[in-house]
Amino acid sequence: MNILVLGSGGREHALSHKISQSNRCEKLFIAPGNAGTARLGENVSLNIEDAFEVGAFVKANDIGIVVIGPEAPLVLGLHDGLKADPTLTELIVVGPRQAAAKLEGSKDFAKKFMFRHKIPTAAYETFTKDTLEQGQAFLETLDPPYVLKADGLAAGKGVLIIEDLNEAKGELKRMLVDAKFGDASTRVVVEEFLSGLEFSLFALADGHGGYALLPEAKDYKRIGEGDTGLNTGGMGAISPIPFFDDALRNRTIKEIIEPTIKGLVKDDLPYQGFIFFGLINTDRGPKVIEYNVRLGDPETEVIIPRLETDIIDLFIAMNNGTINEIEVNVNPQTAATVMAVSGGYPGSYEKGKVIHGLRDFDQTTVYHAGTRLLKEIITSGGRVMAFTSFGLNKEEALSKSYAALNEVSFEGMNYRKDIGFDL
Ligand code: AMP
Ligand code: GLY
């Protein structure tokens, strides 16, 4: 079968790597891909938000499965656009339709969904510029810190956590009235602050109430060591995580995973694809911080390498609504990934730096994120490469990743030296 992966990050490189290992994969295409995916298949230049352009490529290249990596095309309705073509009814699309992608595309929609299905999450209210005063009054009823979330997609920057009440009131006004996040902050969710350890869990839903549970992971979002400084897309990740024991696993499945999957069916929200549960383990049990309608990056770079079940078998079972019949086998070792980023990221940074020292390492896989192949491999983004290794424990996995990282360099390269420090 011919397969098309959409996206250009480490997530898409790791997915493509797993897909290319399957006997069922004939030709693999990645749009637009990066210097890493170019070694696994053919990179193609497509506007991945344009269903007509993607659909034409699918037909011309006899594609059987399209895997949609990032959220933007899902939220814009790429799945629906592809399936609107009567010649593409058999195409397997991994990623939900637009109606269900609102779980990530609108925080207010996600909160309403969770309350409707009694899924534990932070208390909240949603405000618009017409209800700014009520919003500021609501802030007075909460304990600090205050959590303000732009309703729409804001490239991971739309969540503010603020200690001071007056500052929170001012930010609420800037979001609603001054459109701090553009259209994304036309509505703002104000919610209760939750404390506990954060972790992420992933499932592949088949749209009929069945799902395959994938491994859990923890990512490290802050740029600085000890979880300090600005938020990034993610500086590293570990899977499995020791505090996710059987008791927490069973409770999370019963209180969060199953009600979510059943809720999607009940609400008639067609969902065939990955669901990312952003969770926090509070002293009153696990709660949902957010849903994403795709895999996480860099979490994919640790959970997908651990997957031993053929990923194409999973996609086919997903499409047939029979995913509950598949056994998901996972490598019990620990996988760790460390992200090398451009100097200055997540602020402004320079691109086009030549990457030195890259080779096929024995014990580490380098998943490319922001790279391009010209005469040499150069940087082309903030997050550049993720170094993933396995070990009997996180220390062993991390020491291999850091050893490989020390052989690679580009001008301004930065990475966190403390991934996994809190586990
Ligand atoms: P999100 O974009 O929804 O993932 O939010 C970004 C980050 O903000 C999360 O990973 C959490 O660390 C933090 N966060 C979001 N909501 C809350 C909350 N209600 N309580 C505490 N931290 C939160
Ligand atoms: N690593 C978090 C995300 O992919 O949203």
Side-chain angles (χ1 to χ4, degrees):
M1 194 178 313
N2 296 342
I3 298 177
L4 172 62
V5 174
L6 303 182
S8 63
R11 167 181 52 211
E12 287 76 20
H13 188 186
L15 279 167
S16 299
H17 189 218
K18 186 59 69 179
I19 289 167
S20 69
Q21 289 166 350
S22 170
N23 296 330
R24 289 170 175 263
C25 176
E26 287 166 42
K27 282 184 95 176
L28 175 63
F29 298 92
I30 310 93
N34 58 39
T37 62
R39 295 181 63 194
L40 301 172
E42 187 180 332
N43 284 351
V44 288
S45 161
L46 288 178
N47 176 358
I48 66 169
E49 294 178 2
D50 183 335
F52 186 78
E53 202 172 313
V54 176
F57 184 85
V58 163
K59 285 186 261 188
N61 293 281
D62 196 22
I63 302 290
I65 304 180
V66 175
V67 183
I68 305 176
E71 63 277 15
L74 292 163
V75 171
L76 291 169
L78 180 65
H79 184 149
D80 310 65
L82 290 170
K83 285 303 180 84
D85 183 330
T87 66
L88 293 181
T89 50
E90 301 288 304
L91 177 68
I92 300 178
V93 179
V94 182
R97 285 182 180 257
Q98 187 169 31
K102 277 184 91 174
L103 280 184
E104 178 164 2
S106 165
K107 303 241 183 236
D108 177 59
F109 178 89
K111 295 299 281 193
K112 287 196 176 111
F113 176 88
M114 288 183 260
F115 274 79
R116 188 158 62 242
H117 299 292
K118 303 192 169 54
I119 296 164
T121 186
Y124 83 108
E125 285 198 37
T126 301
F127 301 96
T128 63
K129 72 174 183 320
D130 297 331
T131 55
L132 171 65
E133 281 177 24
Q134 287 97 307
Q136 292 178 330
F138 181 63
L139 282 168
E140 288 177 11
T141 70
L142 299 176
D143 294 324
Y146 305 94
V147 183
L148 309 182
K149 298 186 170 183
D151 178 57
L153 290 187
K157 298 194 171 79
V159 176
L160 302 180
I161 297 180
I162 301 168
E163 282 295 332
D164 180 73
L165 178 62
N166 284 324
E167 198 187 319
K169 287 179 171 177
E171 282 298 338
L172 183 62
K173 177 166 174 289
R174 273 186 280 285
M175 290 171 87
L176 290 172
V177 181
D178 310 332
K180 175 168 179 153
F181 297 105
D183 286 346
S185 64
T186 304
R187 285 185 292 182
V188 173
V189 168
V190 177
E191 69 178 34
E192 166 201 14
F193 181 83
L194 301 174
S195 36
L197 281 175
E198 282 185 59
F199 64 108
S200 307
L201 199 51
F202 302 88
L204 182 65
D206 72 4
H208 293 85
Y211 67 94
L213 196 61
L214 302 172
E216 77 284 3
K218 186 169 198 313
D219 80 336
Y220 293 82
K221 287 203 176 83
R222 303 294 197 94
I223 186 71
E225 270 135 35
D227 284 342
T228 54
L230 294 174
N231 257 328
T232 70
M235 298 293 291
I238 307 266
S239 175
I241 49 177
F243 65 84
F244 192 65
D245 56 13
D246 283 346
L248 181 57
R249 175 189 303 270
N250 293 336
R251 190 162 176 189
T252 307
I253 290 174
K254 182 161 167 275
E255 295 179 9
I256 293 172
I257 311 297
E258 293 197 334
T260 299
I261 301 283
K262 287 192 185 122
L264 289 167
V265 176
K266 255 189 225 159
D267 291 353
D268 203 17
L269 292 169
Y271 204 118
Q272 290 191 323
F274 293 108
I275 310 183
F276 170 147
F277 298 84
L279 304 168
I280 186 160
N281 189 26
T282 73
D283 53 14
R284 286 170 294 150
K287 296 192 181 206
V288 179
I289 294 254
E290 63 167 349
Y291 290 116
N292 294 313
V293 296
R294 49 163 176 93
L295 289 179
D297 194 347
E299 293 92 329
T300 305
E301 291 93 300
V302 287
I303 65 165
I304 293 298
R306 290 186 65 208
L307 184 67
E308 289 174 345
T309 303
D310 188 312
I311 196 165
I312 298 186
D313 286 344
L314 282 173
F315 293 154
I316 291 171
M318 174 205 78
N319 190 56
N320 294 337
T322 55
I323 205 156
N324 280 346
E325 291 164 25
I326 292 214
E327 196 182 327
V328 180
N329 295 316
V330 169
N331 181 336
Q333 290 205 346
T334 294
T337 200
V338 182
M339 191 66 82
V341 304
S342 297
Y345 173 83
S348 60
Y349 55 85
E350 288 175 18
K351 299 182 190 176
K353 306 293 181 195
V354 176
I355 302 171
H356 303 280
L358 267 184
R359 61 180 177 87
D360 290 321
F361 296 99
D362 285 343
Q363 303 208 60
T364 299
T365 306
V366 182
Y367 294 114
H368 292 227
T371 68
R372 264 182 72 197
L373 181 62
L374 292 181
K375 263 193 227 138
E376 297 156 295
I377 296 179
I378 59 166
T379 66
S380 66
R383 292 193 294 171
V384 178
M385 296 163 284
F387 291 73
T388 298
S389 314
F390 280 97
L392 292 175
N393 49 41
K394 73 172 189 329
E395 288 76 15
E396 190 182 307
L398 284 162
S399 73
K400 293 176 187 170
S401 287
Y402 284 119
L405 242 161
N406 283 330
E407 292 189 36
V408 176
S409 63
F410 58 87
E411 191 191 317
M413 181 170 103
N414 181 27
Y415 60 91
R416 267 180 69 168
K417 293 164 192 70
D418 69 341
I419 298 304
F421 77 99
D422 55 343
L423 292 178

